[in-house]
Amino acid sequence: MIVFGWNSILLLKILAHEAGFAQPNENVDYHIEIRQKYFHLMWIPFFPIGKMYALRQHADNELYNLTPEALTALQQRFVAPKAPWYTYSLFILIALLIISGIMSGGK
């Protein structure tokens, strides 16, 4: 049973024509995703560990790495959103436990 590891959540979905990889009327089988990677402990997000840009093919629903040139172009054109608050859930949970312990008088 694995109780720790990393996962990622979708922050921003970029269509191929928005990224400049295809024409607006062109039918493509992929889109670009900006994802927030986070470390989890017992499936509770602990802290963010970085952002990743990936290509998702619709046919197999898998994520693929981008070429360095495409990655650089996307990073210059699209600013990755900040990490969502819930990627810090374990810190928030610990703070709430400490505060509730103080409020209850440590009993």
Side-chain angles (χ1 to χ4, degrees), residues 42-83:
M42 297 295 286
W43 299 277
I44 299 172
F46 194 17
F47 56 85
I49 55 176
K51 293 186 176 50
M52 63 187 248
Y53 290 70
L55 183 135
R56 181 175 299 275
Q57 264 193 316
H58 301 154
D60 59 7
N61 203 30
E62 292 291 324
L63 290 173
Y64 295 95
N65 291 329
L66 297 165
T67 64
E69 297 83 17
L71 180 60
T72 302
L74 285 169
Q75 287 173 335
Q76 291 173 353
R77 189 163 179 196
F78 296 95
V79 177
K82 294 187 182 220

Side-chain angles (χ1 to χ4, degrees), residues 16-57:
H17 71 272
E18 293 172 341
F21 295 158
Q23 297 299 320
N25 57 359
E26 189 177 348
N27 188 15
V28 293
D29 188 34
Y30 64 90
H31 64 269
I32 310 297
E33 293 183 358
I34 300 177
R35 302 187 68 82
Q36 176 68 54
K37 289 172 56 174
Y38 62 88
F39 175 79
H40 66 82
L41 184 62
M42 297 295 286
W43 299 277
I44 299 172
F46 194 17
F47 56 85
I49 55 176
K51 293 186 176 50
M52 63 187 248
Y53 290 70
L55 183 135
R56 181 175 299 275
Q57 264 193 316

Side-chain angles (χ1 to χ4, degrees), residues 96-107:
L96 289 174
L97 291 172
I98 290 171
I99 289 170
S100 70
I102 291 171
M103 296 298 238
S104 68
K107 295 180 182 182

